[in-house]
Amino acid sequence: MSTRSTAIARGVVIQVLAKFSALPLSLLTIAIATRYLGAEGYGIMAAAVVFAQTFEAFTELGVGTIIVRRVAGLGGNLERLVGMNISFSTAYALPLAIIAAIAGIGVYWGDFEQQAAVCVLAAGLIFTTVSSCFEPVFDVKVRYSSAASAEFLSRVLTLSAGASVAYFDWGLLAMCAVQIIPQALRLGIQWWGARRLTEIRWVVDWTEMWRLLKEAFPLTIISIIAVLYWRADGLLLSLLGTSEQVAGYYTALQIAFTLTLISQVFERSVLSTINETYNSDRDRFARAVDQGYRFLLLVGLPIAVIGWPLAHRMADIVGGEDGVGVFAGPPLQFFFIAVAMTFLSAIVSDGLIAAHEQRYLTTMSTINLAINIVGNIILIPRLGAVACGIMLIVTETIGVLASQWRLRRHGVHPLPFGYLLRLAPAGLLALGAIWLTYDLPLIVPMAAGGIAYFGGALLVGAIPAAMRNALLGALRPKSLDRMEAEAAGDDDGLGVAPSAPTVEPRVDPSGVGLDAATTVLPGMAPVPERRAPDEALDAETTQLGVTSSRPTVAAGTRTTSRRDFSDITDVPTMELDMAALQTLRMRQQGKYVDMRVIRRG
C-alpha cells in the first residue's frame, strides 16, 4: 500500500472529522438565531453578514502567501516579515472597517436597522485583518493546533452567546455582535499560538512593506474575484429580494456549503502531489488528476442525491417549519447540487495552477463572475433565493468544463463520465432507501441513503481496491507513522523544520529583491541537532512535514542511507498561490482554512 495515497487519505479523514465535530454546534446556533429573530430579523442579519464579508478580500491582500514563499523558498526572516505585516495590518484594519460601514450605510440608505447591523458586523473585519498576520507562522511551521482550537472554541462560545441573547431578549444588534465573536476569539488564540512558535513583535519598515504589497498584488486581484464570486449573489439578493428570501438563502448556504470542507481538505492534501508530478512526470500528473476526478465524483454525488429529497426537512429542522425553513428549503436543494459541482472544480483548479495556467484560471473566473451577476439580476426578481442556487450550478458547470478542456492540453484525460454512469445504480439505491425511510426521523433516511449508496458503489466495483486500501490504511492509527518512519530510514521519523535557517537563500524569481534584514544567510542561526519535544508532530499533523533537500543528521544518530527528500518549497510557487486562491475562494463560510502540505514520498 502506497505511503503517499495513505497519507492523502488519512489527511482527508482526520481534517474532515475535526471540522465536522463542531458542525452540530454551528447548526444549533443557526436554529436559535432563526427562531429568535424570525424570518425578517434573521434576513436583516444575514444581509449584513454577506455585505461585510464582501470586504474580506481586503483583509489579507495576499501578503501572507508572499511571506510563506519568501521564508520557505528564499530564506526570508519569518519574525521580521510577520512583524511588518502586523504593524501594517493594525494600522489598516480600522480604516477598512470604517469604509465597510460607510458603504453599508450608503447601500442600505433609509433602512436604519440594516445600516446598524452592517456597522456592527463591519467591526469583525478588524479582528480578521489582524489575525491573518499570524497565519504564515502556522504555514511555515506546519503546526495547526491553535487554528483547530480556535475553530472549535469559537463555535462553543458563539452558541453560548447566541443562547444568552435569545434568553435575555437583547435584540437584533446583540445577535449581530455574536457573529463577530469567532473572529475575535480566533485573533486571541492565533496570537497565543504564534507566540509559542516564534517571536511576535511590531516591526515598522514601510519601504519593505510596500515591496511585499506590490509582490502580492496579483494574489489580491484573484482574491477579490474569488470573494465577489461567492458573495455577489447574496448581495444582489439583499438589494433585489426580501429579507425573508435573504434569510432562507443564508441558512441554506450555511447548511450546504459546510460540506465543501471534504473537497477542500482533499485538494490541499493532494496539492503537492499534483505540483510535483507536473514537473517530473506528466503521465503521473494525468493519473493523479484522473484519480482525483473519481474520488470526488464518488463522494460528491451522494451530496446531490441525498440532499435534494431531504433538503426541505433539513431546512425545517434548522430554520423552523413556519419560519426561515420555509424560505431555505427550495434554494437548499439547488445548493446541494452546486456543492457537488464544486468538488470537481476543486481538482481542475489544482491542475490548472500546477500547469502554470493561473492567467487562464483568472480570466475564466472573471467571466464566470460576470455571468453570475447578470444571471442573478435577471432571475432574482422572479425566483428569489432559488436564482442564486441555479446560477451557482450554471457557473460551476461552465468552470469545470472550460478548465477540463484546457487541462487536456497537458495530457489530462477527459472527465470520466463512464465512471459517473457506474455510480448511477448506487445513486438509485440511495434514493430507494430514502423513500422507504422518509417518514422516520431525519437521521434515519440520511444514514440509510449513505449506506445504500456506498454499499452499492462497492458492489458495482466503483470503489477500486487501491482507493479502498488507502482509506482503510488512513483509519489505522499507527500505520502511517510506521510507514513514514521506514520511508525516511529512521525510526524517529521527521520533525517540523525550523523556519528560515534550514533554507539556502536563492535569487528571487519574481525580481523583488530581499534586503539583508529579511534574508537569512548561512550561519546566522544554527540548526538544532535534535527536534525539541514541543516541536513533535501532534496527531493532527503526523503525516505532514517539511524537510530540506539535504536532510540534516543529528549528532550521535545513525547515518545509514536514507531517501533524499527534496524541499517541498522547491515545488513552483504557484502551489502557494493556489493555497491563497482556495483559502479565499472557500471563505463563504467565514471559516479559517488550514493549508496542508504532504511531503514527497
Side-chain angles (χ1 to χ4, degrees), residues 47-208:
V49 171
V50 171
F51 184 87
Q53 288 179 347
T54 57
F55 287 83
E56 282 191 354
F58 303 98
T59 58
E60 200 264 344
L61 300 178
V63 173
T65 300
I66 299 303
I67 290 175
V68 173
R69 185 164 73 184
R70 283 196 176 190
V71 173
L74 301 171
N77 187 305
L78 176 65
E79 292 76 14
R80 178 173 173 79
L81 290 169
V82 170
M84 289 192 302
N85 196 20
I86 292 173
S87 300
F88 172 76
S89 297
T90 303
Y92 171 73
L94 182 59
L96 176 64
I98 293 174
I99 291 171
I102 293 174
I105 291 173
V107 169
Y108 300 107
W109 187 258
D111 189 342
F112 175 76
E113 269 194 317
Q114 189 68 74
Q115 291 172 327
V118 170
C119 289
V120 172
L121 269 300
L125 295 172
I126 299 174
F127 304 120
T128 302
T129 302
V130 179
S131 66
S132 68
C133 300
F134 304 113
E135 293 174 10
V137 176
F138 306 119
D139 291 340
V140 169
K141 302 289 186 178
V142 199
R143 297 287 293 275
Y144 296 98
S145 57
S146 297
S149 300
E151 178 73 24
F152 184 81
L153 292 176
S154 65
R155 296 203 188 189
V156 173
L157 188 57
T158 301
L159 173 60
S160 303
S164 298
V165 170
Y167 181 79
F168 293 106
D169 193 18
W170 287 336
L172 171 64
L173 295 184
M175 189 63 77
C176 289
V178 168
Q179 308 309 308
I180 66 176
I181 287 177
Q183 296 153 300
L185 184 63
R186 185 176 298 116
L187 170 59
I189 293 179
Q190 292 196 171
W191 170 79
W192 174 79
R195 283 189 62 196
R196 297 181 62 195
L197 297 175
T198 190
E199 182 182 358
I200 299 297
R201 58 190 176 88
W202 284 27
V203 177
V204 178
D205 187 340
W206 299 118
T207 302
E208 184 60 29

